[in-house]
Amino acid sequence: MPGRCAAALMGAMHDGGMSVTLNDATRQILDARNFATVATIGPGGQPHSSVVWVDRDGDTVVFSLTADKQKARNITRDPRVSVSVFDLHNPYHSVEIRGTAQLAEDPGRSLPERLSQKYLGESPPPEPAHIVRLVARITPNKVNEFSA
């Protein structure tokens, strides 16, 4: 079976400095209620990862975070990120997306609302007004899909 897995991985690999278009299987895994692990590069070059809710906006991946988080500082310093998502219904189907992230303020907190509706079916709890909410938008430049 290792040959079949390797063939599936190689068949879905896209590489290059420019953005790539997500295929239907990748879109489906991102559009479902699957949790993602976002990895950023810490100040000393060490990996920093955290589990987040994600959504898709066209061929970009978006997640919400607050400005005081380590991942926000990491992305500001070095925008290279990796996002890994596996299908909760078939954990042998996963996707890794590497790309660059851009941060933008989300003063209306529209993304947390959208994500909370997607994952929980309800609005998120209110946050204090002083918390600065950001949208991280990842433009993929490499996609690795694994399916067994």
Side-chain angles (χ1 to χ4, degrees):
M1 191 177 283
R4 195 173 111 210
C5 294
L9 179 63
M10 294 305 291
M13 187 179 291
H14 312 283
D15 197 358
M18 300 183 70
S19 65
V20 298
T21 301
L22 303 176
N23 66 25
D24 287 340
T26 299
R27 287 185 181 127
Q28 288 174 2
I29 204 167
L30 291 169
D31 291 347
R33 292 186 341 186
N34 297 308
F35 298 93
T37 301
V38 173
T40 60
I41 301 169
Q46 75 281 13
H48 175 268
S49 61
S50 54
V51 177
V52 298
W53 290 345
V54 293
D55 208 354
R56 186 176 57 83
D57 185 6
D59 285 324
T60 63
V61 179
V62 293
F63 67 93
S64 183
L65 68 161
T66 56
D68 63 333
K69 298 296 182 200
Q70 182 65 48
K71 61 184 162 282
R73 293 188 297 274
N74 291 347
I75 290 169
T76 299
R77 189 187 58 265
D78 186 335
R80 295 176 295 167
V81 299
S82 175
V83 179
S84 298
V85 186
F86 72 89
D87 186 338
L88 287 173
H89 299 291
N90 176 9
Y92 296 103
H93 179 214
S94 64
V95 65
E96 179 210 15
I97 300 167
R98 297 180 194 176
T100 55
Q102 294 178 322
L103 298 177
E105 286 195 26
D106 186 3
R109 295 172 175 5
S110 60
L111 185 55
E113 175 67 30
R114 187 168 105 198
L115 291 169
S116 187
Q117 289 295 335
K118 174 183 173 178
Y119 283 87
L120 302 176
E122 60 188 45
S123 293
E127 282 184 316
H130 71 276
I131 292 178
V132 178
R133 189 53 75 175
L134 304 172
V135 173
R137 179 176 305 278
I138 302 165
T139 302
N141 57 38
K142 183 174 185 177
V143 177
N144 295 309
E145 184 182 346
F146 175 81
S147 189

